[in-house]
Amino acid sequence: MFKVQQTIGSVLCCKCGVPMPPNAANMCVNCLRSEVDITEGLQKSIQIFYCPECGCYLQPPKTWIKAQWESKELLTFCIKRLKNLNKVKLKNAEFVWTEPHSKRIKIKLTVQAEVLNGAVLEQSYPVEYTVRDNLCESCSRFQANPDQWVASVQLRQHVSHRRTFFYLEQLILRHDAASRAIRIQQVDQGIDFFFGNKSHANSFIEFLRKVVPIEYRQDQQLVSHDVKSSLYNYKYTYSVKICPICREDLICLPSKVASGLGNLGPLVVCTKVSDNITILDPRTLRCAFLDARQYFRSGFRSALTSRQLVKYFVFDVEEPVGEATVGGQKYALSYVQIARESDLGNMFYVQTHLGHILKSGDQALGYDIYGANVNDDEMEKYRLSVKNGLPEAILIKKCYDEQRERKRGKPRAFTTKKLPMEMDESRGGRVDPEKMENEYEEFLRDLEENPELRFNISLYKNKDYQESETASMTDGEGAPTVPIEELLAELELSEEEEEGDDEEDMDE
Amino acid sequence: AKFIAFIFLMATRLQFENNCEVGVFSKLTNAYCLVAIGGSENFYSAFESELADVIPIVKTSLGGTRIIGRLCAGNKNGLLVPHTTTDQELQHLRNSLPDAVVVQRIEERLSALGNCIACNDHVALAHTDLDKETEEIIADVLGVEVFRQTIAGNILVGSYCALSNRGGIVHPHTSVEDLDELSTLLQVPLVAGTVNRGSEVIGAGMTVNDWTAFCGSDTTATELSVIDSIFKLREAQPSSIVDEMRKSLIDTYV
């Protein structure tokens, strides 16, 4: 169909007389703007509250929203605070620069609305926000009393060493279980954790329950009481006891427990402690597992602990008479001829479960039952009841001291992280720093020797460690070390990262 | 000595009972003027002060309503009223208007004749759906040439344009081509404009004849100047007055 071309003519603006193309209002834009203000009735200035401690803005009644200066979240938040903005259509919003310390935020909003007879008018206008400082609830509570804890977990293990706590520390770091703790304090035979929330403490205890056998009780103390609304504020304390049986302990089981486990020879060695205790009878190579409930029902203690380990020199190892694999660990029963390092003349002929790793000429660590004065009722009872007497010695592990001599003074290939713990100053410095050092050194050695211990722990590459050039060992056997694949590189946000690319000598 | 007097008139701004749509309540032609009956006499006296001795001003209603400007259409030759007009009103009109003016009541479905017909003394624009009969009556009674047209796509030609023998204003959205076409048909200069502060309904907002015009009091100065210039109400600029005067003065000496 033929359509005549329609050219839009021009009319004079009815107010100012300037020629313009006709529109619905027949007024030029300026006259229209001067006539109608679509921003009338919209909020132009408003007050918002900001917490300087945590950088959050208050959205009444109670929510605090974290937002950076001049960020998208802040823009959304500011626009949400404006009332009546649904009457017009929002086209654009942007920040106008203000001095950060002026406590003012300026936003330029562009809105569109219909005026007069259907003409759509667009107008920009600024909105000014006055920022007022107001600490949010949690920050003010923290300011009032930084030590404000609601729940505390008192973790204790009544043994004379701190190996378990070193290991637990690494576990906690790996699983981030104590991230919500307000404070961690180290005390004589344990660690105290303070939490701001009862549920945080509960989840921490659940975590502990999975990794060590524990027994705990809960108590509470009334802090304040609101009579009118019947609200009670308590402080909760959990007293957690870790079972005192540790790895490498020698235990004489009470007769009830022994018969309950199928007549496991009352002298047993504890091989592993996780949420169960694994005990091994060195004479029959039989293993048993006790979980926390079973243990705490009888509550027996170890007869001899790793402090009392004595060095033995192995003269001769016979062929293993029996082998067993228990829990991934291989054991071989064989007879050995050993003598104490301090008393090489006195030779013993004993059975041991370490037949697979001992060779003649090795050093081993074990319990000297022959010469020791054991203060254990069960042991005494057993000694009296048995005909042939107790075994003179029970070997526990191979000793690598000689090989360690060579590496003395050289740094390890790995480092560990530490929890932010406070030392307990109040007891008058009972904790001996040198003793702690030695214990920690032993713990690290333990880690090196036992790959299964390393399973749940994160070890980090030691940046200062350099692989020594003379990697050749004279007798082809070195002290066990952590293979480099197991080490994690620490996250460093710097350019360079040194790497020792050399292959580690992986013996044993 | 000849003496030629120049009457300078501008458009007048007024209201009918606080309403600015003057063209709804009045009808102005070169031979007569119709006004609606209002509560106060202000409307009537405004017309009277301008037109008293020149043309008769008749107060009336049509079909009992006051919207007479939109119901009837007329020029100096005649007046057409819709079928809703009562006999008394018809008689009253016939009595009050000059004898040269023919008053005719027509039977037409579209009874708002003022909205459907825009006319001056020579030519008329009509609603496209008007009856053939009506068209003939218009041509006959008003003595005009009738053209069926639309203005800016609107069929109510009477509402969207104001026409006199010297010029006309149409709907502001009229395109340039349409404007040219209409101007050729009507043989008068046309302009697209507004009245009453940007209102597009020009026919309802103002009423005009060859020497005077009345518009609503909301009309801005710009609109007023447009009206003055297109209807040639203010003939000359001040500077050229003297020249004209001088010409005539010189004439006298000669």
Side-chain angles (χ1 to χ4, degrees):
Chain A
M1 191 176 102
F2 173 70
K3 268 196 141 199
V4 184
Q5 191 212 353
Q6 306 281 345
T7 330
I8 312 282
S10 81
V11 291
L12 298 185
C13 162
C14 65
K15 266 187 89 173
C16 56
V18 55
M20 53 158 230
N23 61 31
N26 292 316
M27 277 197 255
C28 66
V29 184
N30 295 327
C31 293
L32 200 54
R33 277 230 182 97
S34 67
E35 186 100 348
V36 183
D37 183 16
I38 54 177
T39 66
E40 197 180 356
L42 297 177
Q43 260 182 325
K44 304 265 172 48
S45 75
I46 194 172
Q47 216 177 54
I48 55 176
F49 293 99
Y50 169 72
C51 173
E53 290 288 315
C54 51
C56 299
Y57 293 86
L58 174 66
Q59 189 161 44
K62 273 202 196 157
T63 338
W64 289 85
I65 297 181
K66 197 166 170 78
Q68 295 276 13
W69 180 254
E70 286 203 356
S71 65
K72 213 160 46 126
E73 296 91 34
L74 189 58
L75 193 60
T76 327
F77 167 75
C78 288
I79 291 173
K80 268 210 207 117
R81 297 284 295 126
L82 288 177
K83 295 189 265 239
N84 299 339
L85 210 54
N86 48 357
K87 294 211 184 101
V88 295
K89 209 161 70 149
L90 184 63
K91 273 271 140 181
N92 189 26
E94 57 187 12
F95 279 109
V96 176
W97 184 81
T98 49
E99 197 81 43
H101 65 103
S102 66
K103 297 282 173 205
R104 301 279 186 276
I105 299 176
K106 279 210 180 91
I107 293 184
K108 193 162 83 149
L109 291 174
T110 311
V111 292
Q112 251 184 16
E114 201 181 278
V115 295
L116 294 183
N117 345 330
V120 176
L121 189 62
E122 198 177 275
Q123 191 174 347
S124 296
Y125 71 104
V127 183
E128 187 176 321
Y129 294 85
T130 310
V131 178
R132 281 192 51 184
D133 282 341
N134 189 346
L135 278 183
C136 65
E137 278 176 44
S138 43
C139 289
S140 54
R141 227 183 284 137
F142 181 72
Q143 282 276 349
N145 184 5
D147 285 342
Q148 189 73 355
W149 55 269
V150 174
S152 85
V153 175
Q154 292 172 337
L155 196 60
R156 301 284 182 268
Q157 190 187 33
H158 298 298
V159 285
S160 53
H161 58 84
R162 289 194 72 94
R163 263 171 40 212
T164 322
F165 291 111
F166 292 140
Y167 179 61
L168 260 181
E169 184 184 352
Q170 295 305 316
L171 269 183
I172 289 171
L173 278 169
R174 163 82 168 230
H175 292 95
D176 235 355
S179 55
R180 290 181 295 192
I182 302 176
R183 206 157 63 101
I184 304 173
Q185 192 176 39
Q186 197 181 55
V187 292
D188 185 27
Q189 276 189 329
I191 308 180
D192 283 349
F193 294 85
F194 297 93
F195 296 92
N197 203 322
K198 188 172 173 226
S199 56
H200 296 165
N202 271 326
S203 58
F204 183 67
I205 290 184
E206 286 303 310
F207 165 75
L208 285 177
R209 206 133 53 109
K210 286 199 202 79
V211 292
V212 280
I214 57 168
E215 184 187 47
Y216 70 97
R217 55 172 282 165
Q218 179 200 339
D219 295 292
Q220 57 201 34
Q221 180 190 27
L222 187 66
V223 172
S224 66
H225 170 208
D226 182 356
V227 187
K228 294 223 181 89
S229 55
S230 249
L231 284 175
Y232 297 85
N233 272 347
Y234 289 103
K235 271 195 185 187
Y236 303 91
T237 306
Y238 294 85
S239 172
V240 179
K241 282 202 283 281
I242 305 181
C243 94
I245 310 287
C246 300
R247 276 180 64 251
E248 300 165 2
D249 279 358
L250 185 71
I251 310 164
C252 189
L253 292 172
S255 50
K256 259 212 197 123
V257 180
S259 51
L261 292 171
N263 264 337
L264 205 60
L267 275 180
V268 288
V269 174
C270 175
T271 48
K272 183 169 164 182
V273 176
S274 65
D275 56 335
N276 301 331
I277 308 169
T278 311
I279 47 181
L280 170 77
D281 183 350
R283 279 216 281 212
T284 59
L285 292 187
R286 253 180 51 195
C287 248
F289 301 93
L290 286 173
D291 71 358
R293 253 204 321 237
Q294 282 175 301
Y295 170 77
F296 281 106
R297 228 179 278 153
S298 43
F300 52 83
R301 296 199 62 119
S302 3
L304 287 170
T305 64
S306 49
R307 284 252 165 136
Q308 281 106 15
L309 281 172
V310 167
K311 260 197 230 166
Y312 284 86
F313 192 80
V314 177
F315 288 106
D316 189 28
V317 180
E318 289 180 16
E319 281 298 311
V321 293
E323 280 185 2
T325 312
V326 179
Q329 272 277 57
K330 217 170 71 130
Y331 297 110
L333 191 60
S334 54
Y335 284 90
V336 288
Q337 254 194 338
I338 53 174
R340 285 170 294 187
E341 294 266 312
S342 52
D343 185 15
L344 280 172
N346 215 339
M347 298 238 287
F348 304 110
Y349 188 67
V350 291
Q351 245 184 359
T352 175
H353 60 283
L354 301 170
H356 58 300
I357 49 172
L358 285 178
K359 290 189 266 305
S360 70
D362 273 346
Q363 286 175 318
L365 288 167
Y367 291 111
D368 181 19
I369 305 177
Y370 172 80
N373 196 355
V374 184
N375 183 15
D376 190 48
D377 290 337
E378 298 296 329
M379 197 90 147
E380 284 306 307
K381 264 194 256 168
Y382 183 54
R383 195 197 292 263
L384 293 170
S385 70
V386 99
K387 279 188 303 185
N388 306 338
L390 303 169
E392 287 101 4
I394 297 188
L395 295 178
I396 299 293
K397 58 182 180 181
K398 188 166 152 176
C399 180
Y400 295 98
D401 274 351
E402 231 181 66
Q403 287 89 350
R404 285 198 203 280
E405 275 296 315
R406 275 181 233 137
K407 289 182 99 184
R408 183 190 277 275
K410 296 211 187 98
R412 287 203 159 78
F414 63 91
T415 55
T416 54
K417 282 199 178 149
K418 293 231 174 212
L419 268 182
M421 277 200 269
E422 290 173 16
M423 294 298 149
D424 184 12
E425 308 291 331
S426 60
R427 301 286 185 91
R430 257 218 246 168
V431 194
D432 189 5
E434 205 185 288
K435 199 166 79 156
M436 292 279 285
E437 276 288 313
N438 288 340
E439 282 197 0
Y440 202 68
E441 179 65 32
E442 278 180 31
F443 168 64
L444 290 177
R445 273 193 216 153
D446 232 359
L447 278 183
E448 282 182 343
E449 289 169 18
N450 294 292
E452 59 179 43
L453 256 192
R454 295 197 292 266
F455 177 64
N456 254 336
I457 291 181
S458 310
L459 295 170
Y460 299 91
K461 277 198 202 129
N462 187 357
K463 295 185 290 292
D464 303 324
Y465 174 74
Q466 299 284 342
E467 173 68 41
S468 63
E469 298 293 311
T470 58
S472 58
M473 303 284 175
T474 44
D475 57 10
E477 200 184 283
T481 48
V482 181
I484 202 160
E485 299 92 59
E486 287 189 21
L487 300 181
L488 302 171
E490 278 207 52
L491 181 64
E492 257 200 48
L493 301 171
S494 63
E495 315 264 332
E496 24 140 350
E497 197 176 80
E498 307 231 350
E499 279 229 14
D501 270 347
D502 313 316
E503 280 286 322
E504 283 248 321
D505 245 28
M506 295 214 297
D507 307 306
E508 293 297 312
Chain B
K2 274 195 257 179
F3 195 83
I4 303 162
F6 291 92
I7 306 166
F8 297 119
L9 288 175
M10 252 180 67
T12 319
R13 286 194 266 214
L14 69 160
Q15 276 184 326
F16 178 81
E17 288 183 0
N18 224 13
N19 186 311
C20 297
E21 306 291 326
V22 176
V24 174
F25 301 103
S26 64
K27 190 100 201 147
L28 181 63
T29 68
N30 287 328
Y32 56 87
C33 175
L34 302 176
V35 293
I37 301 167
S40 72
E41 289 290 306
N42 290 339
F43 195 59
Y44 179 76
S45 31
F47 279 94
E48 224 189 344
S49 60
E50 285 290 321
L51 309 164
D53 299 327
V54 190
I55 52 173
I57 308 170
V58 183
K59 275 206 271 194
T60 181
S61 65
L62 284 178
T65 67
R66 301 194 290 181
I67 50 169
I68 58 172
R70 301 292 93 217
L71 291 180
C72 66
N75 59 12
K76 74 174 197 304
N77 301 324
L79 175 68
L80 296 170
V81 291
H83 63 91
T84 53
T85 316
T86 61
D87 292 335
Q88 284 95 318
E89 289 159 353
L90 196 56
Q91 196 57 43
H92 170 67
L93 281 169
R94 288 222 174 95
N95 293 342
S96 323
L97 293 177
D99 296 328
V101 178
V102 181
V103 183
Q104 174 88 339
R105 179 165 57 184
I106 56 178
E107 299 295 319
E108 163 62 61
R109 180 179 63 97
L110 306 166
S111 57
L113 300 174
N115 284 337
C116 300
I117 305 165
C119 63
N120 61 12
D121 292 334
H122 310 292
V123 72
L125 293 175
H127 190 294
T128 49
D129 297 341
L130 226 52
D131 286 346
K132 199 81 181 87
E133 263 180 49
T134 313
E135 197 184 322
E136 285 166 14
I137 297 175
I138 296 170
D140 202 23
V141 170
L142 301 181
V144 291
E145 211 180 326
V146 182
F147 298 104
R148 287 174 192 257
Q149 267 294 337
T150 62
I151 297 180
N154 289 313
I155 46 178
L156 293 176
V157 289
S159 313
Y160 289 104
C161 87
L163 203 50
S164 86
N165 289 327
R166 309 171 84 174
I169 303 186
V170 290
H171 189 292
H173 290 186
T174 314
S175 65
V176 173
E177 290 81 14
D178 272 0
L179 217 51
D180 286 339
E181 188 187 335
L182 284 169
S183 188
T184 326
L185 280 178
L186 300 173
Q187 292 294 309
V188 291
L190 292 178
V191 76
T194 66
V195 80
N196 282 341
R197 217 163 225 279
S199 167
E200 297 156 341
V201 196
I202 296 125
M206 62 177 288
T207 181
V208 62
N209 71 3
D210 283 349
W211 67 87
T212 179
F214 296 90
C215 21
S217 52
D218 275 352
T219 311
T220 61
T222 317
E223 290 165 340
L224 220 49
S225 71
V226 168
I227 292 169
D228 284 346
S229 74
I230 197 66
F231 291 115
K232 299 192 182 45
L233 299 173
R234 193 179 211 166
E235 268 274 42
Q237 294 301 316
S239 54
S240 53
I241 294 171
V242 180
D243 288 338
E244 297 276 36
M245 286 286 276
R246 197 183 294 128
K247 251 200 286 196
S248 63
L249 284 170
I250 291 168
D251 249 359
T252 59
Y253 283 126
V254 169

